[in-house]
């Protein structure tokens, strides 16, 4: 029994670490390509590296710092004293964790544990977004959005070079399916790498834009994704209080540095509610 349980946890750890490793590898590829574009610019009129370096270091430090703190700050109920709650007070019983859990706390079947103020499971980083790490998640989204916008603008010369002969079938396939062009021998390995990373920057920027817009909206409304689907506004205390509840007392400064202290006003178990309010839908939502 113990051996079987150990094998299960090993598979679970591998499932959580693999997405993080892939994400870090893609980040490394984008950073390397951006550095190459700055060291060997296509246009001699481009700004010198010394003017780009402060912005690059600021974005890189914030992205890596928020990512590290997000992954290591688990919002799970492990080590949290859960007492005094009852099902009639909005508490529910989790049969997997064998514990009563407070409102806004839900079980993650990927992490195999209940999460305080659970929002969703981040597949790219292998961690749940919840009470203790929502600040780092939102700041990571913000700085990643700026970094990807910056990288996409730098890659504009790459797209122009691909389309220098006009909009042809070759250029369209190179932009949309660089793997196919490489496998069929239509482009060199170096051209494939530039095209693949440039496409990754643009697609990631669009994806990040949508997710950032959604979570900024949810933060201003004091909602999680589950509550948004359930059309619940029970915890909407006004945009300023909502940001304070999600990002801490220094919510207006947290984007400057992930190490900046910003204590959260609550404990992740009890939340102030507005009255009257409608309870979220009881329909199961899996994400």
């Amino acid at each position: 029994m113990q051996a079987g349980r150990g094998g299960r946890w090993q598979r679970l750890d591998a499932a959580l670490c693999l997405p993080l490793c892939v994400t870090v590898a893609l980040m490394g590829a984008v950073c390397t390509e951006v550095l190459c574009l700055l060291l060997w610019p296509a246009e001699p009129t481009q700004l010198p590296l010394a003017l780009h370096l402060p912005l690059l270091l600021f974005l890189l430090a914030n992205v890596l710092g928020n990512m590290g703190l997000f992954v290591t700050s688990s919002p799970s109920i492990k080590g949290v004293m859960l007492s005094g709650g009852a099902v009639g007070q909005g508490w529910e019983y989790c049969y997997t964790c064998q514990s009563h859990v407070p409102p806004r706390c839900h079980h993650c079947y990927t992490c195999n544990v209940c999460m305080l103020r659970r929002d969703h499971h981040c597949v790219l980083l292998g961690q749940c977004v919840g009470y203790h790490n929502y600040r780092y998640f939102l700041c990571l989204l913000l700085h990643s959005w700026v970094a990807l916008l910056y990288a996409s603008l730098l890659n504009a010369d790459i797209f122009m070079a691909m389309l220098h002969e006009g909009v042809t079938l070759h250029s369209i396939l190179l932009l949309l399916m660089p793997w196919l062009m490489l496998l069929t021998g239509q482009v060199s390995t170096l051209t494939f790498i530039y095209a693949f990373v440039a496409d990754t920057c643009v697609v990631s920027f669009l994806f990040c834009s949508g997710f950032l817009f959604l979570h900024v909206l949810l933060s201003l409304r004091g909602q999680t994704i589950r509550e948004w689907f359930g059309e619940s506004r029970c915890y909407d205390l006004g945009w300023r209080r909502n940001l304070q509840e999600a990002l801490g007392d220094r919510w207006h400064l947290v984007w400057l540095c992930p190490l900046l202290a910003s204590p959260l006003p609550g404990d992740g178990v009890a939340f102030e509610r507005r009255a009257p309010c409608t309870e979220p839908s009881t329909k199961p939502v899996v994400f």
Side-chain angles (χ1 to χ4, degrees):
M1 175 66 72
Q2 292 295 329
R5 183 176 300 176
R8 178 190 176 189
W9 281 110
Q10 288 178 356
R11 291 193 297 271
L12 181 60
D13 291 341
L16 296 177
C17 290
L18 181 60
L20 180 60
C21 293
V22 173
T23 302
V24 172
L26 288 176
M27 285 179 53
V30 172
C31 291
T32 303
E33 194 244 9
V34 167
L35 187 60
C36 291
L37 291 175
L38 293 176
L39 292 175
W40 298 284
E43 297 293 337
T45 57
Q46 184 172 303
L47 294 175
L49 179 61
L51 297 179
H52 290 274
L53 196 57
L55 176 60
L56 285 173
L57 292 177
F58 175 76
L59 291 174
L60 186 60
N62 274 279
V63 168
L64 294 179
N66 282 297
M67 179 183 294
L69 289 171
F70 168 77
V71 172
T72 55
S73 302
S74 173
S76 74
I77 62 173
K78 293 180 179 178
V80 179
M81 183 66 68
L82 300 176
S83 60
V87 177
Q89 298 172 340
W91 288 56
E92 298 179 353
Y93 187 80
C94 176
Y95 290 94
T96 304
C97 297
Q98 298 182 353
S99 171
H100 284 94
V101 294
R104 312 186 88 182
C105 181
H106 302 284
H107 190 83
C108 175
Y109 292 96
T110 303
C111 300
N112 198 38
V113 67
C114 285
M115 299 291 177
L116 297 174
R117 193 191 177 275
R118 183 177 184 269
D119 189 273
H120 70 283
H121 182 84
C122 180
V123 178
L124 295 178
L125 298 178
Q127 175 67 286
C128 262
V129 181
Y131 178 74
H132 291 295
N133 60 9
Y134 191 81
R135 161 205 169 168
Y136 305 118
F137 175 75
L138 191 60
C139 290
L140 175 61
L141 274 181
L142 174 62
H143 288 100
S144 298
W145 181 84
V146 176
L148 289 168
L149 174 62
Y150 178 76
S152 298
L153 293 176
L154 287 179
N155 276 288
D157 292 334
I158 301 295
F159 292 110
M160 295 300 295
M162 294 179 188
L163 300 173
H164 73 284
E165 296 180 355
V167 181
T168 62
L169 180 61
H170 182 276
S171 62
I172 293 176
L173 289 177
L174 181 58
L175 287 173
L176 299 180
M177 294 183 290
W179 282 101
L180 178 62
M181 302 297 285
L182 177 67
L183 293 175
T184 55
Q186 299 297 315
V187 295
S188 64
T189 303
L190 183 61
T191 302
F192 161 75
I193 292 175
Y194 274 108
F196 175 76
V197 176
D199 287 350
T200 301
C201 289
V202 174
V203 173
S204 300
F205 170 73
L206 296 175
F207 172 80
C208 192
S209 298
F211 226 50
L212 177 62
F213 175 80
L214 172 62
H215 279 278
V216 168
L217 178 64
L218 292 178
S219 300
L220 294 174
R221 292 160 60 109
Q223 290 178 303
T224 63
I225 287 185
R226 177 182 292 268
E227 291 161 357
W228 179 55
F229 275 109
E231 300 181 354
S232 171
R233 301 287 294 272
C234 287
Y235 304 97
D236 186 358
L237 306 176
W239 69 269
R240 189 181 297 270
R241 288 284 306 279
N242 292 338
L243 290 178
Q244 186 179 9
E245 290 282 333
L247 305 178
D249 295 334
R250 306 173 75 182
W251 58 269
H252 52 293
L253 297 175
V254 294
W255 65 275
L256 291 173
C257 177
L259 300 178
L260 184 69
S262 182
L264 295 170
D267 57 4
V269 177
F271 295 90
E272 184 177 349
R273 299 157 62 99
R274 73 173 189 178
C277 71
T278 57
E279 292 294 336
S281 172
T282 57
K283 296 179 180 180
V285 181
V286 179
F287 41 80

